[in-house]
Amino acid sequence: MEQKVADPTLQKALEQFNLLDEKITHFSSIIGLADWDQKVMAPKKGRNVFAKASGTLRTEVFKLSVSKEMGDLLEALTSPDNEVNLDHVTKAKVREYKEYYQKSKSIPADLFQEYSILTALANDAWEEARENNDFARYLPSLEKIVAFKRKFAEIYGYEEHPYDALLDEFEPGLTVKRLDPLFAKLRESSVSLLERIKQNGKPTQAELFGQSFEIEKQKKFNRFILPIIGFDMDAGRLDETVHPFAQTVNIGDVRLTTRYLEKNVRSALFGTIHEAGHGIYEQHVNPVYEDSVLQSGASFGIHESQSRFLENMVGRSKEFWTFFFPKLQEYFPAQLETISLEEFYRAVNTVEPSFIRVEADELTYNLHIMLRYEIEKALIGGEIEAKDLPAIWNQKMQDYLGITPITDTEGVLQDVHWSFGGIGYFPSYSLGNLYAAQILNTMQKDLPDFYTHIENGRFDLIQAWLKENIHQYGKLYTPNELIVKVTGEELNADYLVEYLEKKYSEVYGL
Amino acid sequence: MEQKVADPTLQKALEQFNLLDEKITHFSSIIGLADWDQKVMAPKKGRNVFAKASGTLRTEVFKLSVSKEMGDLLEALTSPDNEVNLDHVTKAKVREYKEYYQKSKSIPADLFQEYSILTALANDAWEEARENNDFARYLPSLEKIVAFKRKFAEIYGYEEHPYDALLDEFEPGLTVKRLDPLFAKLRESSVSLLERIKQNGKPTQAELFGQSFEIEKQKKFNRFILPIIGFDMDAGRLDETVHPFAQTVNIGDVRLTTRYLEKNVRSALFGTIHEAGHGIYEQHVNPVYEDSVLQSGASFGIHESQSRFLENMVGRSKEFWTFFFPKLQEYFPAQLETISLEEFYRAVNTVEPSFIRVEADELTYNLHIMLRYEIEKALIGGEIEAKDLPAIWNQKMQDYLGITPITDTEGVLQDVHWSFGGIGYFPSYSLGNLYAAQILNTMQKDLPDFYTHIENGRFDLIQAWLKENIHQYGKLYTPNELIVKVTGEELNADYLVEYLEKKYSEVYGL
């Protein structure tokens, strides 16, 4: 379904551009598979050597993306005469490559390769540091990554804050200036709500999750719910890693990971539902975008809106557990037979300041993100250094959540992101929550029986709406275009603030 | 450890050549991983699309290998002035690339890409055909593959038989003319020995393998023996596939697969030992060859010599079971407690014409290979067509082994090789047997206590000899150079004929 035009010169440029797009997409798909493999499957001794190999392929993609051929094609396709003749699909592809080209063309290929290998190897350093509660083992890698990222920010360019250059990689157009007021509003209302819960909230029975839940049965239960909530197991996998993630190889091959903890049944459960949100998004992209840059989700923030929506708006709703709790009781009678649905639902939504982001409740979660956002902003702004992070992390945990991690494993070492160079990534999670609440508001207008559908296990109706309105488009629209198209307005914090207020007032009887 | 020379022009050519070698090796390593993944891990729906992606990377490797840059570098490095200054490592690398360059430079890249995608997709067609006993489903792919191979043989060039051009891909220098007498001698003695066993052999208790052996316990036992026989589990994996194989990603990442059958405990056991032979070879290559074309085994034949050696000369020896049988009895007391070591050893070495090559005994195995060799020779020679294969296969099974498969699944559809374009591959297995017997003869001069070492579980001593004499060199020597270096003479069939004669006379009391 590639565009055809009458002008033979433009037609030729289009064909070359589409071929280059396909080649880059193919290589990226293989890199995605290799990344997944090295985290999930590869034996220890081969990883360092493989990091060089995958660095070489990454560098090839980089070279193609900033090549003279790409530059010439982008220039030809965006000339005033030609641009008016491009269809909206071609325009979107051009937009994606042009943005990257302009930012990255000044980065030398050998610098890029050095960075690729560094980030491929840093995963092991991070894992070892985390396992051994030894930040020092991770620090040399982290320092180098920060140095690279500061350099990249200068090369990419920015108007106000160097961190803007990195935010833009994950959420095109996002800046500190735009994010600060959104986060300020969310922070203010979250801190106030948290305070009211602490003062007046009716206690929940969160201790029920401290029981042992056999891991084999957890695995079965996770595999049981995945297809029901919409994940196509013939077009994906579920495996295990320390840090859960979703990796797309292509539309027909989307791989999720989760982590099973015997003493924390919530961890795998909500981790799996979260990653399924990412995975279903990618499985639903229109196959006409296959083998092109558009075959993936719109942005990290929109992606997180889909995972957080499924995990929280759906997965932590009372209706979700009306449907699934009897089944969960069948799997774990000893642990759950004396627990009522209401008790379970309230326990699932327990608000409690805690150390680990991925296991945080919906309310305190955003505070975990803001802490990371502020650290990254200061790190890239040059106000702090990597070596200071453990102390700053612990101080901010105290300031925001009123608790201090005892170990770095539970603190600054908990997240994988910085090890792969993902500075600027964390804000996507709270953006996702903001997008999700705004999308939920619109969806309920189209599907007034939204919660009844969940209660009846009709996740297909919800997924069909998401596919129709969001998933199918892949990267066709920018995140801002998409949220306006779907909800009629730009992103604002009101919907999430309102959603959290309403939900926790009910859960905690405020 | 790359070569340095005084002449700056030559030094520059050397550096460029080594960089190109590294890039090709890196991409090949990633292709290896992707191939493994698509067979072992990838979900069904993504495979067709991924085949295009991996075809693009394969084509890139092809383009680099036949590029003008490669041609110019090879020419520069092999000029009379320069060649004398190359060390033996550089010479070996040049030899490898030059051979491929000269054969393949006339193949257009788009033809190569078409072939890559075809062979990537044919695996699924073969698997479906095999599962459904439906040769017709595989035929269209097979016909196309044969057409490609005939075309490639013409492009590669040959002196006497077009099949020589394909044999050479797997065993450099091998020809029909050289192979025919080796196989004739082996066939004659095998058929005669088989006849004597049929007439006068003392029966074995092969029926003991028809009992049920729980698959979970089989898995544990396979994982138990792998490290003992020399496979480093931190530098590899063991997984399951319909057709067992070994795939190298790099020296520190070598992946084996096996297949568990409840009613056939031998299948996984000897399959695993066989693949371990391949895997240990690759794990033992000297790390100075890492990231270069030399990091792999010398040839398919030499590779098979290592897998067949471990599977048969070691794994089917009485001493092997003196060491392992008590442990196997612990795993399967109900099935084995009344069986003596002698009975078990003889049962393991039961000679019986059967349908499936990978499960054939050491003696009839070579007859399975000769059947395939003759079919391939006639197919590439244009004497027969793909559609004729089921009938020809069954006729030859009757001629060689005196049995006729009832289904194509047990006949012409049993092997994966043709689906990936591996026409010319099968002879490697019998070559491997020939090499292995010749190597064993030499090894026993250095290690007169060879069988005592096996009996004592001192596989490390045997592996050390193999590493020292064969494995460490990777592709440094051609197969012919290597066998002469190791054994002092060129390959001949006497050692295998003698080995088989001696072994089966003892097993069958002839």
Side-chain angles (χ1 to χ4, degrees):
Chain A
M1 236 211 40
E2 276 163 8
Q3 188 183 0
K4 300 257 182 287
V5 292
D7 172 12
T9 317
L10 177 57
Q11 178 61 31
K12 198 172 166 218
L14 259 180
E15 281 168 18
Q16 283 180 346
F17 176 71
N18 284 325
L19 270 178
L20 192 53
D21 173 32
E22 186 184 77
K23 187 169 182 180
I24 290 173
T25 304
H26 282 168
F27 285 1
S28 303
S29 165
I30 295 171
I31 290 169
L33 184 152
D35 283 350
W36 173 87
D37 177 89
Q38 297 297 300
K39 290 194 192 108
V40 184
M41 294 291 158
K44 214 177 175 67
K45 288 187 185 169
R47 283 187 230 151
N48 280 10
V49 173
F50 193 82
K52 286 190 281 172
S54 87
T56 299
L57 188 54
R58 252 176 248 279
T59 303
E60 191 69 17
V61 168
F62 172 79
K63 283 180 182 166
L64 292 170
S65 305
V66 299
S67 61
K68 183 168 180 313
E69 187 191 3
M70 178 65 89
D72 291 348
L73 287 169
L74 289 172
E75 202 181 318
L77 294 173
T78 53
S79 75
D81 279 358
N82 283 338
E83 197 164 22
V84 294
N85 292 313
L86 303 183
D87 67 15
H88 70 305
V89 173
T90 305
K91 273 187 189 148
K93 290 186 194 173
V94 167
R95 179 196 71 220
E96 289 297 317
Y97 282 110
K98 196 171 177 184
E99 161 125 5
Y100 188 81
Y101 179 82
Q102 287 181 328
K103 286 179 77 158
S104 308
K105 65 175 192 288
S106 311
I107 297 178
D110 55 354
L111 193 73
F112 182 86
Q113 173 136 15
E114 201 187 315
Y115 173 71
S116 298
I117 295 171
L118 169 66
T119 50
L121 293 177
N123 187 274
D124 275 5
W126 166 71
E127 269 191 12
E128 278 173 28
R130 186 178 186 276
E131 273 166 31
N132 297 286
N133 185 36
D134 183 4
F135 181 75
R137 280 198 213 188
Y138 180 35
L139 184 59
S141 308
L142 189 56
E143 281 174 336
K144 283 181 208 150
I145 288 167
V146 170
F148 266 107
K149 285 289 170 177
R150 285 173 177 168
K151 198 183 292 179
F152 288 167
E154 294 307 319
I155 294 173
Y156 294 161
Y158 52 88
E159 285 185 14
E160 297 189 9
H161 197 291
Y163 186 51
D164 291 349
L166 303 186
L167 283 174
D168 185 76
E169 284 192 285
F170 298 93
E171 202 67 9
L174 188 66
T175 57
V176 166
K177 192 175 174 181
R178 196 160 153 249
L179 201 47
D180 274 345
L182 285 168
F183 277 9
K185 182 163 192 178
L186 182 56
R187 186 179 170 196
E188 195 185 331
S189 81
S190 298
V191 168
S192 143
L193 182 52
L194 183 59
E195 196 50 39
R196 276 177 288 145
I197 290 170
K198 274 192 201 158
Q199 299 299 328
N200 307 316
K202 186 181 144 201
T204 65
Q205 288 174 249
E207 65 280 7
L208 77 90
F209 294 116
Q211 301 176 87
S212 283
F213 288 77
E214 300 93 308
I215 284 178
E216 281 311 309
K217 283 196 198 168
Q218 286 195 44
K219 287 185 185 176
K220 279 193 190 143
F221 189 74
N222 274 269
R223 289 185 178 278
F224 162 71
I225 63 168
L226 264 185
I228 298 175
I229 61 177
F231 186 77
D232 180 352
M233 291 299 289
D234 288 333
R237 297 180 48 91
L238 176 65
D239 295 277
E240 289 173 55
T241 47
V242 171
H243 190 96
F245 68 97
Q247 175 69 54
T248 301
V249 177
N250 57 49
I251 295 169
D253 183 353
V254 180
R255 305 182 183 195
L256 316 180
T257 72
T258 195
R259 153 170 84 160
Y260 300 98
L261 302 173
E262 195 176 332
K263 295 275 183 182
N264 184 351
V265 71
R266 279 182 296 188
S267 179
L269 199 49
F270 291 102
T272 302
I273 300 172
H274 177 95
E275 301 307 337
H278 287 299
I280 295 164
Y281 187 177
E282 301 269 310
Q283 289 181 336
H284 280 175
V285 171
N286 189 332
V288 298
Y289 304 135
E290 211 160 61
D291 297 324
S292 93
V293 67
L294 304 182
Q295 77 171 359
S296 234
S299 71
F300 283 74
I302 299 289
H303 238 299
E304 287 303 325
S305 80
Q306 297 310 293
S307 54
R308 303 285 299 168
F309 179 84
L310 200 60
E311 177 189 352
N312 293 327
M313 275 78 174
V314 176
R316 291 186 211 262
S317 69
K318 193 186 285 176
E319 294 74 12
F320 187 87
W321 291 106
T322 306
F323 184 73
F324 277 117
F325 187 58
K327 197 75 196 177
L328 190 66
Q329 283 179 312
E330 278 175 35
Y331 275 72
F332 299 104
Q335 295 87 340
L336 298 177
E337 66 186 355
T338 64
I339 310 288
S340 72
L341 169 64
E342 176 71 18
E343 287 165 339
F344 186 78
Y345 163 66
R346 293 189 64 242
V348 157
N349 286 291
T350 302
V351 168
E352 189 165 40
S354 63
F355 298 129
I356 305 296
R357 174 184 60 84
V358 294
E359 281 154 20
D361 56 82
E362 273 183 272
L363 180 59
T364 59
Y365 188 93
N366 295 309
L367 300 172
H368 285 269
I369 296 306
M370 290 175 204
L371 170 161
R372 288 157 177 77
Y373 167 64
E374 288 176 16
I375 286 178
E376 289 188 344
K377 200 163 63 168
L379 203 52
I380 298 305
E383 297 150 40
I384 59 174
E385 295 302 328
K387 69 176 167 41
D388 309 325
L389 291 194
I392 293 169
W393 184 283
N394 291 351
Q395 183 56 50
K396 284 197 182 281
M397 280 296 290
Q398 192 59 47
D399 294 348
Y400 282 43
L401 288 157
I403 55 176
T404 302
I406 295 153
T407 66
D408 287 336
T409 298
E410 288 181 316
V412 68
L413 287 173
Q414 70 183 267
D415 288 309
V416 69
H417 303 63
W418 294 335
S419 79
F420 63 72
I423 299 178
Y425 187 138
F426 284 118
S428 315
Y429 293 107
S430 285
L431 275 181
N433 289 333
L434 294 166
Y435 281 129
Q438 189 163 328
I439 290 166
L440 174 63
N441 179 268
T442 300
M443 189 194 279
Q444 284 184 280
K445 291 176 192 159
D446 289 347
L447 297 178
D449 299 329
F450 174 74
Y451 287 110
T452 313
H453 295 328
I454 297 178
E455 197 170 77
N456 294 331
R458 292 302 306 273
F459 300 98
D460 57 324
L461 298 173
I462 293 165
Q463 293 297 354
W465 190 94
L466 291 169
K467 182 173 182 178
E468 173 68 23
N469 289 282
I470 297 170
H471 299 174
Q472 63 155 321
Y473 296 116
K475 262 195 202 319
L476 186 63
Y477 300 109
T478 65
N480 199 48
E481 283 168 359
L482 188 62
I483 195 71
V484 171
K485 180 176 155 61
V486 176
T487 69
E489 58 182 321
E490 297 207 352
L491 183 65
N492 77 67
D494 296 342
Y495 296 103
L496 182 59
V497 166
E498 221 171 87
Y499 164 86
L500 291 171
E501 186 70 38
K502 189 175 161 207
K503 176 161 187 175
Y504 287 105
S505 295
E506 190 230 318
V507 169
Y508 277 98
L510 298 177
Chain B
M1 235 210 41
E2 278 162 7
Q3 187 184 1
K4 300 259 182 287
V5 292
D7 172 12
T9 316
L10 176 58
Q11 178 61 30
K12 196 170 168 223
L14 260 181
E15 280 168 19
Q16 282 179 347
F17 176 71
N18 284 325
L19 270 178
L20 192 53
D21 173 32
E22 187 184 76
K23 187 169 181 178
I24 290 172
T25 305
H26 281 170
F27 285 1
S28 302
S29 165
I30 294 171
I31 290 169
L33 183 153
D35 283 350
W36 173 87
D37 177 89
Q38 296 298 299
K39 291 194 192 108
V40 184
M41 294 291 159
K44 213 175 176 68
K45 288 188 185 168
R47 283 186 230 151
N48 279 11
V49 173
F50 193 81
K52 287 189 281 170
S54 85
T56 299
L57 188 55
R58 253 176 247 278
T59 304
E60 190 70 17
V61 168
F62 172 78
K63 283 181 185 169
L64 292 171
S65 305
V66 298
S67 61
K68 184 170 181 310
E69 186 190 2
M70 178 65 89
D72 293 347
L73 287 169
L74 290 172
E75 203 182 316
L77 294 174
T78 54
S79 76
D81 280 357
N82 283 337
E83 198 165 20
V84 293
N85 292 313
L86 302 183
D87 66 16
H88 71 306
V89 173
T90 305
K91 273 186 188 146
K93 290 185 194 174
V94 167
R95 179 197 71 221
E96 290 297 317
Y97 283 109
K98 196 171 177 184
E99 160 123 5
Y100 188 82
Y101 179 82
Q102 287 180 329
K103 286 179 77 158
S104 307
K105 64 176 192 288
S106 311
I107 296 177
D110 55 355
L111 194 73
F112 182 87
Q113 173 137 16
E114 202 188 317
Y115 173 71
S116 299
I117 294 170
L118 169 66
T119 50
L121 292 177
N123 187 274
D124 275 6
W126 167 71
E127 269 190 13
E128 277 173 28
R130 186 179 187 276
E131 272 165 34
N132 297 287
N133 184 37
D134 182 4
F135 182 74
R137 279 199 215 188
Y138 181 36
L139 183 59
S141 307
L142 188 56
E143 281 175 336
K144 284 180 209 150
I145 288 168
V146 169
F148 266 107
K149 285 288 170 179
R150 286 173 177 169
K151 198 183 295 180
F152 288 167
E154 294 307 320
I155 295 174
Y156 294 162
Y158 52 86
E159 284 184 14
E160 298 189 12
H161 196 292
Y163 186 51
D164 292 348
L166 303 186
L167 283 173
D168 184 77
E169 284 192 286
F170 298 93
E171 203 66 11
L174 189 66
T175 57
V176 166
K177 192 174 174 180
R178 195 158 156 249
L179 202 46
D180 274 346
L182 285 168
F183 276 9
K185 181 162 193 178
L186 182 57
R187 186 181 169 193
E188 196 186 332
S189 81
S190 298
V191 168
S192 142
L193 183 52
L194 184 57
E195 196 49 40
R196 277 178 287 145
I197 290 170
K198 273 191 202 158
Q199 300 299 328
N200 308 314
K202 184 181 146 203
T204 65
Q205 290 174 249
E207 65 279 7
L208 78 88
F209 294 116
Q211 302 176 87
S212 283
F213 289 76
E214 300 92 308
I215 284 178
E216 280 311 310
K217 282 196 197 167
Q218 286 195 44
K219 287 185 188 177
K220 278 192 189 142
F221 189 74
N222 274 271
R223 288 184 178 279
F224 162 71
I225 63 169
L226 264 185
I228 297 175
I229 60 178
F231 186 77
D232 180 352
M233 291 299 289
D234 289 333
R237 298 179 49 90
L238 176 66
D239 295 277
E240 289 173 56
T241 47
V242 171
H243 189 95
F245 68 96
Q247 175 68 55
T248 301
V249 177
N250 56 50
I251 296 170
D253 183 353
V254 180
R255 306 183 182 193
L256 316 179
T257 70
T258 195
R259 153 171 84 161
Y260 300 98
L261 302 173
E262 195 175 332
K263 295 276 183 180
N264 184 350
V265 71
R266 279 182 296 189
S267 179
L269 199 48
F270 291 103
T272 302
I273 299 173
H274 177 95
E275 301 307 337
H278 288 298
I280 294 165
Y281 188 177
E282 301 269 310
Q283 288 181 338
H284 280 176
V285 171
N286 189 333
V288 298
Y289 304 134
E290 210 160 62
D291 297 324
S292 94
V293 67
L294 304 182
Q295 77 171 0
S296 234
S299 70
F300 283 74
I302 299 289
H303 238 298
E304 288 303 326
S305 79
Q306 297 310 294
S307 53
R308 303 285 299 167
F309 180 84
L310 199 61
E311 177 189 352
N312 293 327
M313 275 78 174
V314 176
R316 291 187 212 262
S317 69
K318 193 186 284 176
E319 294 74 12
F320 186 87
W321 291 107
T322 306
F323 184 74
F324 278 117
F325 187 58
K327 197 74 197 179
L328 190 66
Q329 284 180 311
E330 277 175 35
Y331 274 73
F332 299 104
Q335 295 87 339
L336 299 176
E337 66 187 354
T338 66
I339 311 286
S340 73
L341 170 65
E342 176 71 18
E343 287 165 339
F344 186 79
Y345 163 67
R346 294 189 62 243
V348 157
N349 286 289
T350 301
V351 168
E352 189 165 39
S354 64
F355 299 130
I356 304 295
R357 173 184 60 84
V358 295
E359 280 152 20
D361 56 81
E362 274 183 271
L363 180 59
T364 59
Y365 188 93
N366 296 309
L367 299 171
H368 286 268
I369 296 305
M370 290 174 205
L371 170 161
R372 287 157 178 78
Y373 167 64
E374 288 175 16
I375 286 178
E376 289 188 345
K377 201 164 60 168
L379 204 50
I380 298 304
E383 297 151 39
I384 58 174
E385 295 301 328
K387 68 176 168 41
D388 309 324
L389 291 194
I392 294 169
W393 184 283
N394 292 350
Q395 184 55 51
K396 283 198 182 281
M397 280 296 290
Q398 191 59 47
D399 294 348
Y400 282 43
L401 289 156
I403 54 175
T404 301
I406 296 153
T407 66
D408 288 336
T409 298
E410 288 182 317
V412 68
L413 287 174
Q414 70 184 268
D415 289 310
V416 69
H417 304 62
W418 295 335
S419 79
F420 63 73
I423 299 178
Y425 186 138
F426 284 118
S428 316
Y429 293 108
S430 286
L431 276 181
N433 290 332
L434 295 165
Y435 282 129
Q438 189 162 327
I439 290 167
L440 174 64
N441 180 268
T442 301
M443 189 194 280
Q444 285 185 279
K445 292 176 193 160
D446 289 346
L447 297 178
D449 299 329
F450 173 75
Y451 288 111
T452 313
H453 294 327
I454 296 178
E455 198 170 76
N456 295 329
R458 293 301 306 273
F459 301 96
D460 56 325
L461 298 172
I462 294 163
Q463 293 298 354
W465 190 94
L466 291 169
K467 182 175 182 177
E468 173 68 23
N469 289 282
I470 298 170
H471 299 173
Q472 63 155 322
Y473 297 116
K475 263 194 201 318
L476 186 63
Y477 301 109
T478 66
N480 198 49
E481 284 168 359
L482 188 63
I483 194 72
V484 172
K485 181 176 154 64
V486 175
T487 69
E489 58 183 321
E490 297 209 351
L491 184 65
N492 77 66
D494 296 342
Y495 296 103
L496 182 59
V497 167
E498 219 170 90
Y499 163 86
L500 292 171
E501 188 69 39
K502 188 174 163 210
K503 175 161 188 175
Y504 287 106
S505 296
E506 190 231 319
V507 169
Y508 277 97
L510 298 178

